[in-house]
Amino acid sequence: MSESLFSSITASFLDRFGGSPARFQSPGRINLIGEHTDYNGGFVLPAGIDLCCRVVIAPTQEARSVVVAFDLNEEFSFDANALPAQCPTWAAYILGVIHAMGKRGKIIGNFQAVFSSDIPIGAGLSSSAALESVFAFALNDLFRLQLDRMELTRIAQQAENEYVGLQCGIMDMFASIHARKDQAIQLDCHTLDFRYVPLHMNDHLMLLVDTGIKHELASSEYNVRRQECEEVVGLFHDLGYAVQSLRDITMQQLEMQRDRISPLLLKRARHVVSENERVLEFVKSMQEGDWQSAGQLLYASHYSLRDDYAVSCNELDFLVKTVKPLNGVIGSRMMGGGFGGCTISIVEKSCLEAVMEAVNFAYQESFGIAPKSYIAQTGNGACAI
Ligand code: GLA
């Protein structure tokens, strides 16, 4: 499969530059549960998918690097040792990686590359993290920088935080770089300890339904939520608690201090604290093969994101509400940052067709567009091909 996906960008590279390039890919991600917990030092449970960002790349002696964005039919040229102040939006992800490497004293030479991605943009599947991750991985290999996967993950996150300007957490890049087929990653975003949890789905599968929208609020509200969480941490600090992040606060402590916290901040904190608990419970249920309980946790996560954290939207709520009463649907929730993107639902294989038909019909009726659906297949993290 990846062979054919690489063939057109390889042909394009050879046509444009010649030589014998190397090939790398890095996947998008799903997240089973643990939303808006990563930047709060909490738990997440993502997995890599089989949709990837792919790059064909080689070092060059030329004075400038050239990167071709195959899907956009655009290219950008720059000197890797004197990064330009202005660049196309897509190139910022790549320059951000080079910049973050430079900050660590890792200087690269110029290179030529063609990249392409089959991860839908704006669907909450982390297409940008995959782009950063594949370039971090490829440049590390090409210029023998000897950075390990953990450092490459930090570099990819730093690219997004400092160069692109989105204050995202570490989950997306972590998954793109560390993923393993048929496994989810239980990651502690405070210590960065992680373990692989086998995804024995048996008679179930993971259905992603894309709302097809991304509301304007997505990035501004994301940063507001981060600030709100920091405010609660500050408050607990002032009350004498030794806390670094919401991860260190229990539900009991939150309840004890509820009169000292504004109702809004209480809701925000309650989401994060309860979501952390849900991740641990979800892993336990999954390992016991108890899909019914796991499914209930997905609904609980959705309601918490909708009511307490206020990052859902009509379209996402509609999708969850529509699938809930259907035969064979075990659980469903919004996935990723919110304000659009996908829902993730666990569905019995035998009921998939009927579920998809019902969802497509209902969504089309209400919003006038047919939603795109994907059956999430897991895949490996960043690698050479
Ligand atoms: C986005 C961010 C992640 C994470 C999720 C919400 O995908 O990039 O770091 O915060 O939102 O869980």
Side-chain angles (χ1 to χ4, degrees):
M1 163 117 168
S2 54
E3 200 46 50
S4 65
L5 290 164
F6 267 109
S7 60
S8 37
I9 50 172
T10 305
S12 159
F13 184 99
L14 295 178
D15 192 39
R16 175 81 168 74
F17 307 113
S20 41
R23 309 186 310 174
F24 301 87
Q25 68 179 29
S26 205
R29 63 105 191 89
I30 51 169
N31 185 26
L32 284 131
I33 196 161
E35 225 62 90
H36 288 276
T37 46
D38 60 351
Y39 54 84
N40 284 304
F43 302 113
V44 291
L45 193 64
I49 53 175
D50 64 346
L51 303 174
C52 289
C53 186
R54 300 180 173 82
V55 64
V56 176
I57 186 167
T60 178
Q61 297 307 320
E62 305 278 328
R64 293 179 78 74
S65 296
V66 179
V67 179
V68 178
F70 183 82
D71 307 325
L72 301 173
N73 199 18
E74 282 181 26
E75 67 174 57
F76 186 61
S77 131
F78 57 93
D79 179 356
N81 292 306
L83 296 180
Q86 303 281 328
C87 68
T89 316
W90 58 266
Y93 298 98
I94 302 162
L95 299 193
V97 165
I98 301 171
H99 178 76
M101 286 174 161
K103 277 184 124 176
R104 288 165 172 74
K106 300 288 182 183
I107 305 302
I108 64 163
N110 279 308
F111 62 93
Q112 295 164 331
V114 180
F115 77 93
S116 168
S117 173
D118 56 0
I119 309 166
I121 293 173
L125 296 173
S126 296
S127 56
S128 52
L131 172 58
E132 288 148 352
S133 299
V134 79
F135 270 90
F137 197 84
L139 293 172
N140 179 52
D141 190 277
L142 222 57
F143 295 103
R144 303 189 203 301
L145 304 180
Q146 300 195 314
L147 294 159
D148 63 16
R149 282 180 189 259
M150 196 64 93
E151 206 52 24
L152 293 174
T153 302
R154 290 202 181 90
I155 284 171
Q157 186 194 10
Q158 209 174 337
E160 183 100 23
N161 290 169
E162 294 178 10
Y163 220 82
V164 181
L166 280 179
Q167 295 308 310
C168 65
I170 202 165
M171 167 170 72
D172 305 344
M173 300 78 187
F174 197 97
S176 190
I177 290 181
H178 291 80
R180 282 194 193 157
K181 190 167 167 41
D182 296 326
Q183 319 262 337
I185 308 169
Q186 185 185 345
L187 170 67
D188 177 331
C189 298
H190 176 59
T191 60
L192 295 185
D193 287 340
F194 66 102
R195 66 178 178 128
Y196 292 100
V197 183
L199 268 174
H200 296 310
M201 301 293 296
N202 302 327
D203 297 334
H204 303 98
L205 38 77
M206 294 176 285
L207 172 66
L208 308 177
V209 184
D210 188 356
T211 57
I213 50 127
K214 190 84 202 164
H215 289 296
E216 278 293 307
L217 286 172
S219 52
S220 57
E221 285 299 301
Y222 188 92
N223 290 343
V224 171
R225 291 298 170 282
R226 286 198 71 141
Q227 280 164 19
E228 289 166 345
C229 292
E230 277 162 28
E231 262 182 69
V232 180
V233 174
L235 238 139
F236 270 77
H237 221 263
D238 295 346
L239 289 168
Y241 290 85
V243 292
Q244 281 178 27
S245 67
L246 283 185
R247 154 70 179 284
D248 302 324
I249 297 174
T250 64
M251 200 55 100
Q252 210 184 0
Q253 289 169 334
L254 205 56
E255 282 301 324
M256 263 167 60
Q257 302 300 343
R258 63 178 304 146
D259 295 338
R260 297 193 168 82
I261 308 173
S262 75
L264 184 113
L265 291 185
L266 183 68
K267 282 183 6 165
R268 303 299 190 246
R270 192 166 58 195
H271 165 70
V272 176
V273 175
S274 64
E275 185 79 351
N276 278 331
E277 290 172 358
R278 280 188 289 271
V279 175
L280 302 180
E281 280 178 48
F282 186 92
V283 170
K284 195 163 158 276
S285 303
M286 210 169 63
Q287 283 175 328
E288 288 167 358
D290 180 359
W291 287 103
Q292 293 305 327
S293 304
Q296 290 311 307
L297 290 163
L298 293 189
Y299 288 125
S301 169
H302 183 76
Y303 301 142
S304 175
L305 287 157
R306 182 190 67 187
D307 303 334
D308 278 352
Y309 217 61
V311 290
S312 188
C313 61
N314 280 342
E315 293 84 347
L316 288 166
D317 294 341
F318 179 88
L319 286 175
V320 172
K321 202 169 155 195
T322 303
V323 296
K324 192 162 190 261
L326 301 177
N327 257 344
V329 176
I330 308 294
S332 182
R333 65 176 198 86
M334 56 154 275
M335 189 179 77
F339 300 104
C342 284
T343 56
I344 180 168
S345 308
I346 298 182
V347 178
E348 280 171 22
K349 277 183 189 160
S350 57
C351 300
L352 178 68
E353 230 168 275
V355 169
M356 280 174 68
E357 209 170 292
V359 171
N360 285 350
F361 181 77
Y363 198 79
Q364 171 106 38
E365 281 270 282
S366 292
F367 298 101
I369 47 165
K372 286 210 177 77
S373 302
Y374 311 87
I375 310 300
Q377 307 280 0
T378 58
N380 285 319
C383 60
I385 294 291

